[in-house]
């Protein structure tokens, strides 16, 4: 085995090791439940208390005491965000016919677990009960395809795929550089090419999902109706009306009590921060 071949192998690994390291960092820093680092005994105690509280909230929900379940789920979220708790909280709000807050919590759950079919299905049911039916601006088909593919998994899911495909890349490169059989070298080459493409794509998806989670630039209208105004003031001209449960994008959050929003058809205006819930 020539030294040149070994050098080429190591040179090929350098960029992929950087991508794998970034994927590992995403996986370690963006998990849904974060350890406090205060010792195993404290962590176990906290897990026991949280489990008991969630069990009580679930029991209240099953018993039909939805207001109690809402209070307990909200209390759980004070200690840390969790997709399952957001989902259960959304179900509880839906049961008491608070559609806007049901949608808000379904959206928060979906943000953390975009590939969850149950969350997406319940969100669509809740959306069907809203008043506003705004036609969105059309997207190119490949843009929709890309967004749908990215939403298949969460940040952690894509980061895990990135690490696994990196390991497969190592195997393929090992076959190509260190095996003498021509057929196995060809297999190793194609495996390495496919896996490096998947590794790069999964790292890109993980990075974009992380950015989406950190932006908090989407919101839900929480009041029965709101007049969207031309300026951040009650004296501003009323442009159009939105109703509870409508999802908007936040364009400008520089004002203390107002947010500039944009809706699906491109209309822009200002609403009071108190009238919306940030996803």
């Amino acid at each position: 085995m020539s030294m040149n071949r070994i050098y080429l192998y190591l040179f090929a690994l350098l960029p992929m090791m950087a991508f794998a390291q970034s994927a590992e960092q995403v996986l370690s820093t963006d998990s849904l439940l974060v350890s406090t680092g205060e010792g195993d005994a404290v962590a176990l105690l906290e897990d026991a208390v949280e489990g008991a509280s969630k069990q009580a909230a679930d029991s209240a929900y099953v018993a039909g005491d939805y207001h109690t379940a809402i209070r307990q789920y909200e209390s759980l979220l004070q200690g840390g965000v969790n997709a399952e708790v957001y989902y259960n909280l959304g179900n509880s709000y839906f049961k008491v016919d608070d559609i806007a807050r049901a949608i808000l919590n379904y959206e928060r759950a979906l943000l953390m677990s975009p590939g969850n079919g149950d969350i997406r299905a319940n969100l669509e049911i809740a959306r069907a009960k809203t008043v506003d039916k705004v036609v969105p601006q059309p997207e190119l088909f490949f843009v929709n395809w890309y967004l749908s593919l990215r939403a298949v998994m969460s940040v952690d899911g894509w980061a895990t795929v990135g690490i696994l495909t990196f390991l497969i890349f190592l195997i393929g490169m090992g076959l190509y550089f260190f095996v003498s059989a021509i057929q196995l070298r060809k297999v190793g080459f194609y495996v390495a090419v496919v896996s490096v493409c998947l590794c790069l794509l999964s790292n890109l998806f993980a990075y974009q999902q992380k950015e989406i989670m950190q932006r908090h630039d989407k919101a839900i209208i929480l009041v029965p109706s709101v007049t969207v105004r031309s300026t951040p003031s009650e004296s501003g001209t009323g442009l159009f009306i939105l109703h509870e449960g409508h999802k908007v994008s936040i364009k400008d959050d520089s004002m203390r009590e107002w947010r500039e929003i944009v809706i699906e058809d491109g209309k822009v205006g200002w609403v009071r921060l108190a009238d919306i819930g940030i996803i």
Side-chain angles (χ1 to χ4, degrees), residues 114-115 142-154 158 198 201-202 205 208-209:
F142 59 84
V143 174
N144 290 327
W145 179 84
Y146 177 87
L147 296 177
S148 298
L149 179 61
R150 187 181 66 188
V152 168
M153 285 187 285
S154 65
W158 284 120
L198 292 176
L201 188 63
S202 59
F205 285 166
Q208 291 180 340
Q209 292 279 40

Side-chain angles (χ1 to χ4, degrees), residues 26 155 158 201-212:
V26 170
V155 176
W158 284 120
L201 188 63
S202 59
N203 274 276
L204 175 62
F205 285 166
Y207 172 78
Q208 291 180 340
Q209 292 279 40
K210 179 181 178 181
E211 289 294 305
I212 291 171

Side-chain angles (χ1 to χ4, degrees), residues 17 19 148 169 222 238:
M17 290 178 66
F19 277 107
S148 298
F169 167 78
L222 296 181

Side-chain angles (χ1 to χ4, degrees), residues 89-109:
L89 181 58
N91 288 337
S92 301
Y93 275 121
F94 187 86
K95 289 294 187 179
V96 298
D97 207 31
D98 191 338
I99 301 302
R101 285 178 174 78
I103 292 175
L104 174 62
N105 285 283
Y106 287 147
E107 289 280 6
R108 288 170 172 171

